[in-house]
Amino acid sequence: PRSFMCRYAGLFRIEAPGFQSRYFVVMRSVFDPRMKEGLEVFDLKGTLVNRKKSEGQSCGKDQDWVDQHCVIKVHTSVRSEVCAVHARDVAFLLRFDVMDYSMLVGRTTYCGDATCSSGWRQGGGLVNMEDKNIYFMGLIDHLVEYDMLRDLQNLLEGDEAEIVPPDRYAARQIKWFREYAVQKLDPEDDWGTFGRLRVQNIQGFNIKGYQDPSSNLPAGVAAKTTAKLSSLLHRGITTDVYVIVTVGLRSARTEVKVQDKNPVFPDTLYIPVDATRENEMVLVEVWQEVTAMLLGDRLVGKLLVPLQELLDAPGEPNLVQKERLRETAARGHISLELVFESGEQGAAAAAAAAAAAAAA
């Protein structure tokens, strides 16, 4: 199968009299050595925070990629394959709890046969659809473990910075790749190689999130002082809620419903689905929005739905009706409708849309 993982050829050591031993790694090049002329290189991690090259640096970063309006444009079916290959590689790296890896992208102008079609290029790379650019891609620097020092760095810099836990790093890079590296599609037009999950008619019932603990304190001076401190700390906690639905490392979220314990979400969520793992679950989470400094949004409760139940009946709605949310202190129920739509259904819908557009 295709993969963007950079291949290691070996670890070697050089020894010479009077010199300290040196180790070096030999890797397979991401680029085609015959196409070095005019090659632009970008190191993409999936965040724009502090990701712009400094003066004198030759390798661009995420912000440079966006500023130059770089986009890999290929046919939608090829785009689905490219995104699936990248997601599979990233999921593999997550199994080893590594992070801080990059998608190294090289862009050069193709000077060969002008009739070369867009998509996968024999010999490596992707041929762009709108010009003669060829893009070479490879995942590099994938041996960095997330340790206590990086956990502290994440605490100081926040979740938008470069260093985040491996699961968030993987999900963030997959999302960024679909939105910035390749052409971005509207959610309803974005399909995986296997199909997509559609989630709609989401409604909560008697959703009760985190409450200010000071409300249960007894009377007294000490209690009043504690209540004031608690009130200051938790002032940014709202009763506003939203829903996130996740399959593997891909997710979609609803809008925020303000001060509503029985929220009705008008959103229809779409999640691309590629090859699935055995016993994979659809994770539905209800979150409470928090605006207080140093406090993140709070999980109210969650629900798990076996993905296989949806795969066994493509196109058929799976109704979840007033299911109780699961979490230590969760209170409330949720209803929603989940439908798995196969790739064949997506191709038929695209063909029908194209025919209608041509007729118009």
Side-chain angles (χ1 to χ4, degrees):
R2 287 191 169 100
S3 174
F4 294 128
M5 296 284 291
C6 193
R7 268 62 165 184
Y8 287 91
L11 173 66
F12 300 89
R13 182 178 66 188
I14 296 178
E15 292 184 348
F19 293 92
Q20 185 177 2
S21 297
R22 294 294 181 92
Y23 292 86
F24 65 95
V25 172
V26 175
M27 305 172 68
R28 181 180 179 181
S29 175
V30 173
F31 315 121
D32 188 334
R34 298 166 297 178
M35 304 181 69
K36 289 184 177 180
E37 187 174 351
L39 183 68
E40 293 181 90
V41 180
F42 298 86
D43 182 282
L44 308 178
K45 290 184 180 291
T47 178
L48 300 179
V49 178
N50 298 323
R51 292 294 298 164
K52 187 174 179 64
K53 69 177 180 181
S54 303
E55 186 177 352
Q57 290 184 328
S58 59
C59 183
K61 299 181 181 180
D62 304 65
Q63 188 66 62
D64 304 292
W65 176 272
V66 173
D67 291 345
Q68 295 183 34
H69 306 288
C70 299
V71 179
I72 303 171
K73 294 183 178 180
V74 290
H75 190 274
T76 52
S77 61
V78 177
R79 178 188 180 275
S80 295
E81 293 174 5
V82 172
C83 291
V85 171
H86 173 254
R88 184 174 62 241
D89 288 343
V90 169
F92 173 77
L93 293 176
L94 180 58
R95 290 166 52 188
F96 300 94
D97 282 334
V98 296
M99 38 69 69
D100 204 29
Y101 43 84
S102 304
M103 175 61 85
L104 191 67
V105 180
R107 179 177 67 174
T108 187
T109 301
Y110 182 58
C111 299
D113 184 2
T115 62
C116 181
S117 60
S118 66
W120 299 103
R121 169 181 172 267
Q122 187 175 5
L126 285 164
V127 180
N128 211 41
M129 194 163 53
E130 295 185 353
D131 50 39
K132 289 187 177 182
N133 285 335
I134 290 183
Y135 290 88
F136 299 96
M137 294 181 287
L139 279 167
I140 63 169
D141 299 338
H142 40 65
L143 298 179
V144 180
E145 293 184 344
Y146 188 79
D147 53 21
M148 187 178 297
L149 183 61
R150 288 178 173 81
D151 195 26
L152 176 61
Q153 185 177 349
N154 170 242
L155 182 64
L156 295 173
E157 297 179 353
D159 285 344
E160 296 303 317
E162 184 175 322
I163 302 300
V164 295
D167 56 342
R168 276 181 266 170
Y169 192 94
R172 184 178 70 182
Q173 188 175 106
I174 288 174
K175 184 175 186 293
W176 200 94
F177 189 85
R178 295 187 84 96
E179 293 184 357
Y180 292 97
V182 296
Q183 72 265 39
K184 183 178 180 179
L185 300 178
D186 291 334
E188 59 268 27
D189 297 326
D190 195 359
W191 292 74
T193 55
F194 204 56
R196 74 177 180 191
L197 178 67
R198 174 162 48 92
V199 187
Q200 57 195 20
N201 299 329
I202 307 171
Q203 183 174 1
F205 302 90
N206 198 28
I207 302 295
K208 295 182 180 180
Y210 177 85
Q211 303 295 318
D212 188 342
S214 63
S215 59
N216 299 321
L217 291 173
V221 176
K224 288 181 179 179
T225 303
T226 304
K228 287 183 178 180
L229 291 173
S230 177
S231 178
L232 286 173
L233 182 61
H234 300 93
R235 182 173 294 173
I237 297 180
T238 69
T239 56
D240 308 341
V241 296
Y242 59 92
V243 175
I244 297 179
V245 182
T246 303
V247 179
L249 292 171
R250 294 176 180 157
S251 61
R253 60 169 286 176
T254 67
E255 64 181 18
V256 176
K257 279 297 184 178
V258 179
Q259 297 183 355
D260 192 347
K261 291 184 178 180
N262 299 293
V264 177
F265 299 93
D267 317 66
T268 298
L269 307 181
Y270 299 93
I271 304 175
V273 177
D274 298 316
T276 60
R277 300 193 307 268
E278 187 178 0
N279 299 323
E280 186 149 26
M281 308 293 284
V282 178
L283 173 63
V284 181
E285 298 174 306
V286 178
W287 286 83
Q288 183 180 13
E289 190 173 52
V290 177
T291 58
M293 187 179 297
L294 301 180
L295 293 175
D297 291 0
R298 294 178 179 273
L299 177 64
V300 175
K302 60 186 177 181
L303 181 71
L304 292 172
V305 179
L307 181 59
Q308 191 60 48
E309 291 182 4
L310 308 176
L311 301 181
D312 290 341
E316 296 294 326
N318 184 303
L319 301 178
V320 175
Q321 296 184 330
K322 281 195 174 183
E323 188 76 19
R324 186 170 69 86
L325 294 171
R326 313 290 178 180
E327 192 61 23
T328 304
R331 285 184 289 179
H333 296 73
I334 191 170
S335 293
L336 67 158
E337 179 182 314
L338 304 101
V339 182
F340 171 72
E341 299 171 301
S342 67
E344 290 79 6
Q345 291 173 302

